[in-house]
Amino acid sequence: MTKKLLFLFDTDPVPSVFDTVVGYDGGADRIVGYGAVTPENVGALVDGCIYTRGPKEKQYTAIFVGGGDMTAGEAVFKAVKKRFFSNFRVSAMLDSNGSNTTAAAGVALLAKASSLKGKKAVVLAGTGPVGMRAAAMLNIEGAEVTITSRQKARAEAAAKAIQERFGFTPTAIEASDNAARAQAVKGAQIVFAAGAIGVPLLDEQDWQSDPTIELIADCNAQPPLGIGGVEATDKAKERHGKIVIGALGLGGLKLKLHRECVGKLFDAADQVFDCENIYAQAKELA
């Protein structure tokens, strides 16, 4: 039987152990990882994928683009797809820093809890990979999206990148500390925290009595958590009259989604998994 081969093209110096483990759990028979992959050096790697098997066997070769930098990952993913032509192609997936699958799991669970259409959503620390993808998925659901950063320039740069990729521009604001972020979420119905590990973004006192906030998701699983008063294990749990989702609460769906998408890479040779269809898959699984 033809082996299912998954090639990890990682923009970081060392290929991700996490993506390797989930790749095997998703159904790959063999995984080979390459680090420090760039648009300039990925061509030869892609050629090795598309020229080595016949048309009927190509579906058993797939590419996964990862790494900690979404901008770098998008550039590599674009270069990978540009290398394809005619039936010389294999399925490919982009999930830099787990951003597509993590954001998709969080937003899908929020959307399951309540309609997001027409609601105001604030993505705290929205300039990172997860935050930018969450902003896009919240927009897909019809929410009015704002992203925050400690630096105005970074927020504006992220908003521009989102506009170029997804065709909409979220509001970009500077919120350098918890007090500023408390002001940023006033009037919002949805708060999505996408900050780095161990960085508190919002105190419990700043959301527990807020009359407008309805839904909260926090992607940080290691204490101190991103949003005070949310437990990592919360999964659509009611706290202070709000529906809250913690990192471990969405983590089960994230892992299931990641595995599911890897498995689907081997269904055909022309699958392309990025933000939109990963999110669609998350909604089905949720």
Side-chain angles (χ1 to χ4, degrees), residues 14 27-28 35 54 64-65 70 81 83 107 109 111 122 139 151 159 163 172-174 189 204 208 240 248 252 277:
V14 179
F64 182 100
V65 177
M70 172 54 77
K81 293 186 291 181
R83 204 79 175 183
V107 176
L109 289 173
V122 177
N139 177 72
Q151 299 175 352
Q163 197 285 325
I173 63 174
E174 179 179 317
Q189 288 81 46
E204 183 175 5
Q208 63 181 354
H240 305 302
L248 298 180
N277 52 357

Side-chain angles (χ1 to χ4, degrees), residues 61 87 90-91 110-111 120 177 180 184 191 221 228 245 253 258 266 275:
T61 300
N87 66 340
V90 296
S91 292
L110 291 175
K120 294 182 179 180
D177 55 25
V191 179
I245 300 168
L253 178 57
H258 192 154
F266 300 109
C275 178

Side-chain angles (χ1 to χ4, degrees), residues 4-6 20 22-31 262-263 266:
K4 296 178 181 179
L5 305 179
L6 182 64
T20 301
V22 182
Y24 277 118
D25 290 346
D29 295 314
R30 298 286 186 273
I31 298 178
V262 168
F266 300 109

Side-chain angles (χ1 to χ4, degrees), residues 110 116 119-122 138 143 188-192 213-215:
L110 291 175
L116 310 185
K119 293 180 178 177
K120 294 182 179 180
V122 177
L138 287 164
Q189 288 81 46
I190 305 161
V191 179
F192 192 105
I213 293 176
E214 303 172 6
L215 302 163

Side-chain angles (χ1 to χ4, degrees), residues 197-209:
I197 290 173
V199 179
L201 298 172
L202 193 67
D203 296 327
E204 183 175 5
Q205 65 188 26
D206 294 322
W207 64 266
Q208 63 181 354
S209 300

Side-chain angles (χ1 to χ4, degrees), residues 255-276:
L255 284 170
K256 185 177 181 180
L257 174 63
H258 192 154
R259 297 181 190 119
E260 185 88 2
C261 290
V262 168
K264 287 182 177 296
L265 290 173
F266 300 109
D267 288 347
D270 59 355
Q271 307 290 311
V272 178
F273 284 92
D274 197 353
C275 178
E276 294 87 349

Side-chain angles (χ1 to χ4, degrees), residues 70-202:
M70 172 54 77
T71 301
E74 286 182 320
V76 168
F77 199 58
K78 182 178 180 180
V80 167
K81 293 186 291 181
K82 188 175 181 180
R83 204 79 175 183
F84 297 160
F85 67 96
S86 185
N87 66 340
F88 289 90
R89 65 185 67 242
V90 296
S91 292
M93 177 176 173
L94 173 63
D95 200 24
S96 294
N97 206 31
S99 53
N100 275 327
T101 49
T102 301
V107 176
L109 289 173
L110 291 175
K112 180 182 179 182
S114 177
S115 171
L116 310 185
K117 186 176 179 61
K119 293 180 178 177
K120 294 182 179 180
V122 177
V123 182
L124 302 176
T127 62
V130 174
M132 292 173 69
R133 279 331 205 222
M137 295 168 187
L138 287 164
N139 177 72
I140 289 172
E141 288 295 330
E144 179 184 330
V145 185
T146 294
I147 60 173
T148 77
S149 175
R150 287 173 292 179
Q151 299 175 352
K152 179 72 168 178
R154 288 191 63 189
E156 290 176 342
K160 181 179 179 182
I162 291 169
Q163 197 285 325
E164 290 172 352
R165 169 62 178 82
F166 297 102
F168 89 100
T169 306
T171 301
I173 63 174
E174 179 179 317
S176 59
D177 55 25
N178 283 23
R181 287 184 284 270
Q183 285 297 122
V185 302
K186 288 188 179 302
Q189 288 81 46
I190 305 161
V191 179
F192 192 105
I197 290 173
V199 179
L201 298 172
L202 193 67

